[in-house]
Amino acid sequence: MVFPSRGQIFKGSVDRVKDTVARPSLDTFYQVNFSFGNWQTWLGSGMGKRRTQGTDFMQKMSLLCTQAEIPGTSFVPSTAVGHFQGIQEEFPNLRNFPPLNLVFYCDADHVIIEVLETWMSFINPIQNGSKNPVAYSRFNYPEEYKETLHITKFERDTFIKESRAASYQSDMTSYEFVNIWPSNLTSMRVAYGDSNVLRCTVQLTYDRFFTNFNYEDIRKQVVNTSSGIVNSKEQVASNTYPDGFNFGKSTDDFSKDARYQSTGGPNDTSSSQFRTPKKKVETSRGTRYR
């Protein structure tokens, strides 16, 4: 490898990179999905439709989550000395996953606060009565309170079927947090004076996360250009096509269907079933077939 040369330094017009620099990702387009599978164990029967305004509590938490984080990661390095004379090398060892911080707008029914406090109380519940002088606590098993959470990042044009004079449509990127549980529920300050929306901040710890970049959406449609030509990149990325056709993933075998054969099918005009019978005509030169 060599140092960059003069020819590798971009010196062109801004118009050449307009499509690149004019499509930044905005931090206001995201959604947090609480994919809880054990909530009946630590929460019970739920909150009721009146307190959640006709939805379940997980959807209400998703709508009221005002701040989230796209996670980062780091390695714990190990130092190796002596492999080469006078050289010290660094190698990755353990991988660290930082905690996830979420901020919620607290609803007037206090559903968000109740869910988080109930979740944390189930992890380490008080035994033998909470007011008993000889009460004690005992942890529950992790498989009973660890859950799954998803954060999906999308863009302004992700759900627009056809943008203004644009054929490209942004896909979604999702992060899946495995074995997540609340480790710190911060205090919420209340005071007289100007009213503000009460916010709740929780720190969540997890084992690891997985990322799925620009994944296909089974309900996504291809995007046509202004001239009506289907963009090839969108056609490859999409698995749903107009008129219900699905190319590339069909399990049908057309090799034995006469309609799709190069010869012998209904499109083959040379087949005997499409030939017009010739008539026998007697001429002065003999018998002819026409």
Side-chain angles (χ1 to χ4, degrees), residues 19-249:
D19 294 339
T20 302
V21 300
R23 298 189 69 254
S25 179
L26 303 180
D27 59 359
T28 54
F29 296 96
Y30 73 95
Q31 180 169 310
V32 181
N33 292 91
F34 299 88
S35 308
F36 293 164
N38 299 324
W39 65 270
Q40 293 180 339
T41 303
W42 50 266
L43 185 60
S45 58
M47 299 294 172
K49 295 297 182 180
R50 293 189 61 183
R51 295 183 62 190
T52 57
Q53 289 71 50
T55 63
D56 56 47
F57 74 95
M58 288 180 285
Q59 184 176 1
K60 187 171 186 177
M61 292 178 65
S62 177
L63 296 174
L64 293 179
C65 185
T66 179
Q67 292 182 23
E69 295 176 345
I70 293 180
T73 184
S74 63
F75 285 104
V76 177
S78 296
T79 304
V81 180
H83 289 178
F84 300 94
Q85 179 66 31
I87 300 299
Q88 177 176 313
E89 297 176 288
E90 297 282 345
F91 296 96
N93 192 350
L94 297 177
R95 187 178 181 184
N96 287 335
F97 297 94
L100 176 66
N101 297 292
L102 300 179
V103 181
F104 297 90
Y105 286 133
C106 294
D107 58 304
D109 299 298
H110 300 168
V111 171
I112 305 297
I113 301 176
E114 180 178 351
V115 170
L116 296 176
E117 287 192 0
T118 304
W119 193 2
M120 298 191 70
S121 298
F122 179 83
I123 295 175
N124 187 25
I126 300 297
Q127 307 290 337
N128 199 23
S130 58
K131 297 183 179 181
N132 195 325
V134 293
Y136 62 95
S137 63
R138 183 174 60 186
F139 286 95
N140 279 315
Y141 291 103
E143 58 268 17
E144 295 180 347
Y145 60 80
K146 287 189 174 183
E147 298 286 358
T148 302
L149 186 143
H150 294 89
I151 295 180
T152 303
K153 182 69 180 74
F154 53 91
E155 300 304 329
R156 188 192 305 271
D157 60 345
T158 300
F159 303 103
I160 300 178
K161 293 184 177 181
E162 185 172 357
S163 306
R164 296 176 296 178
S167 60
Y168 185 80
Q169 187 177 22
S170 301
D171 291 322
M172 298 183 294
T173 297
S174 288
Y175 298 82
E176 179 176 332
F177 299 85
V178 180
N179 293 333
I180 197 168
W181 53 277
S183 59
N184 184 19
L185 181 62
T186 60
S187 302
M188 292 163 283
R189 179 176 178 270
V190 291
Y192 292 118
D194 296 335
S195 298
N196 297 297
V197 178
L198 187 65
R199 298 191 180 192
C200 176
T201 302
V202 62
Q203 186 178 85
L204 302 167
T205 304
Y206 53 94
D207 293 347
R208 57 194 174 275
F209 69 84
F210 297 99
T211 311
N212 193 354
F213 292 98
N214 296 324
Y215 63 91
E216 297 179 358
D217 187 0
I218 59 175
R219 292 167 293 186
K220 176 183 173 182
Q221 301 292 332
V222 294
V223 180
N224 296 339
T225 61
S226 57
S227 58
I229 301 176
V230 178
N231 186 283
S232 60
K233 188 172 184 179
E234 266 53 60
Q235 185 168 349
V236 173
S238 176
N239 52 16
T240 305
Y241 293 84
D243 300 329
F245 287 95
N246 192 337
F247 297 94
K249 296 185 178 181

Side-chain angles (χ1 to χ4, degrees), residues 244-255:
F245 287 95
N246 192 337
F247 297 94
K249 296 185 178 181
S250 176
T251 58
D252 297 333
D253 185 10
F254 301 107
S255 61

